[in-house]
Amino acid sequence: MHRADDNYPTRVEERIDPIQRIEPTVWGEPVNGPLDPAALNSFAEQGYLVRPDTVGGDWLPALRRELDELGSNVDAADPRVIREPNGSPRSVFEPHLLSDLIAQVVALDTVLPVARQLLGSDVYIHQARINFMPGFTGTGFYWHSDFETWHAEDGMPAMRAASCSIALTDNYSYNGSLMVMPGSHRTFYPCVGATPENNHSTSLVRQDVGVPDREVLTAAAERFGINQFTGPAGTALWFDCNLMHGSGSNITPFPRSNIFLVFNSVENALTEPFAAQHPRPEFLAARRVVPVGTSVGTSVGSDTGVG
Ligand code: 6CS
Ligand code: FE
């Protein structure tokens, strides 16, 4: 049974047809922020946007040190640290609450105003994480739409969220960088299979439910094609919550790490999950709507936090 207010049924018993997106992709106007009409149009059409120099080169050494520290110093029992089967850290959630420096990144002039402009409102952090993909052993993520999970398991009602993935290492075509299906964000692909109890204890390393089947992915890839994100450290990839994306493993010696920030509109607060028994923990899906405060400029060490 699916909720009457559910525009995007998923985790269904049998495959159903793809659903056309209802919401716009871009909610703000050119006057609302730093993105010009061409950039806004491109995001609306493609579902993603690449923004070089989102963090300046002067930030990168300090941010990389911060990541190393978070990866090695966060308490082994802290549920916010997700590990690979071999024990190495894969993701640390809520880094903006663990690190002042990362909190400052959220509020940068190159970050927060973009989120507000894309979503046409004040925004809050739905989920934040740092991802480590070490050389040789880093593993990827299978194809998925983030919105599918956030809707099913977190009760996000509408497609009014966007992710900002800031590269802290150079992203090449060959070190596990993100692949996207441009334009796929306008179609919702319902997924087959109920959400298992406590799904998030495994899905953050390997996602098994909430992924389209191979036939559906083949048709989507034929229709939209696949683009691969590449760019130097400091580049941000902004992408819509419903864009189909995934990544391969990293068998190169070159690590790939990033700061991953999900902004949601304050007008799109979470409800009860649409297709799961229980909501996920706060560190994966914030239920407290705390609008991100004012901008702190672009220099390292400015002391204004996120409010
Ligand atoms: O669970 C999440 O919120 C995110 N992680 C995965 C592996 N899939 C959905 C979403 O991107
Ligand atoms: Fe994702």
Side-chain angles (χ1 to χ4, degrees):
M1 276 303 289
H2 285 270
R3 276 163 54 176
D5 61 345
D6 188 355
N7 291 322
Y8 301 108
T10 187
R11 316 283 166 116
V12 290
E13 275 175 31
E14 279 172 24
R15 194 202 288 171
I16 55 175
D17 285 343
I19 297 165
Q20 200 54 35
R21 178 191 187 115
I22 297 163
E23 301 85 355
T25 308
V26 172
W27 293 70
E29 304 290 333
V31 296
N32 299 137
L35 301 181
D36 62 19
L40 290 173
N41 278 339
S42 173
F43 188 82
E45 294 295 314
Q46 307 278 300
Y48 72 97
L49 195 60
V50 176
R51 304 264 297 156
D53 298 317
T54 291
V55 300
D58 52 338
W59 282 68
L60 291 171
L63 279 172
R64 289 192 191 117
R65 272 197 304 277
E66 197 79 347
L67 248 67
D68 285 346
E69 253 165 60
L70 286 169
S72 47
N73 290 352
V74 176
D75 192 328
D78 192 318
R80 293 176 292 185
V81 188
I82 308 299
R83 294 180 188 279
E84 300 281 5
N86 70 6
S88 69
R90 177 181 173 93
S91 305
V92 177
F93 284 84
E94 289 190 334
H96 60 307
L97 304 185
L98 296 165
S99 151
D100 284 346
L101 193 62
I102 294 181
Q104 288 177 39
V105 170
V106 176
L108 283 174
D109 284 343
T110 49
V111 177
L112 178 58
V114 174
R116 286 189 178 138
Q117 185 180 19
L118 289 174
L119 301 176
S121 68
D122 273 332
V123 295
Y124 73 99
I125 296 281
H126 164 68
Q127 182 192 89
R129 65 211 277 180
I130 49 182
N131 290 317
F132 304 91
M133 194 190 255
F136 297 115
T137 57
T139 57
F141 271 121
Y142 194 67
W143 292 104
H144 64 277
S145 141
D146 294 329
F147 178 78
E148 195 278 343
T149 293
W150 300 337
H151 184 68
E153 299 190 30
D154 302 335
M156 184 181 283
M159 294 182 186
R160 194 172 178 180
S163 297
C164 174
S165 173
I166 303 172
L168 296 185
T169 54
D170 294 344
N171 278 240
Y172 309 104
S173 58
Y174 43 74
N175 65 339
S177 62
L178 211 70
M179 293 178 278
V180 301
M181 295 192 190
S184 60
H185 62 297
R186 287 173 165 156
T187 305
F188 182 77
Y189 292 98
C191 296
V192 176
T195 310
E197 191 73 25
N198 216 14
N199 182 42
H200 69 269
S201 63
T202 55
S203 70
L204 300 169
V205 179
R206 204 184 96 147
Q207 192 175 347
D208 292 317
V209 295
V211 296
D213 66 38
R214 288 181 182 182
E215 241 179 288
V216 169
L217 284 171
T218 303
E222 278 168 359
R223 176 170 168 202
F224 300 113
I226 296 174
N227 287 351
Q228 184 147 32
F229 166 68
T230 56
T235 305
L237 171 68
W238 287 86
F239 63 101
D240 176 77
C241 60
N242 190 45
L243 189 71
M244 192 64 73
H245 63 282
S247 55
S249 293
N250 181 11
I251 60 167
T252 76
F254 310 117
R256 190 174 76 84
S257 58
N258 59 35
I259 300 176
F260 195 92
L261 306 170
V262 182
F263 293 96
N264 190 23
S265 166
V266 296
E267 290 160 32
N268 193 33
L270 302 185
T271 65
E272 287 305 299
F274 284 86
Q277 293 297 317
H278 308 288
R280 300 195 297 176
E282 187 79 16
F283 72 83
L284 290 177
R287 289 183 175 271
R288 270 177 290 135
V289 176
V290 185
V292 184
T294 46
S295 142
V296 295
T298 48
S299 63
V300 187
S302 48
D303 57 8
T304 334
V306 197

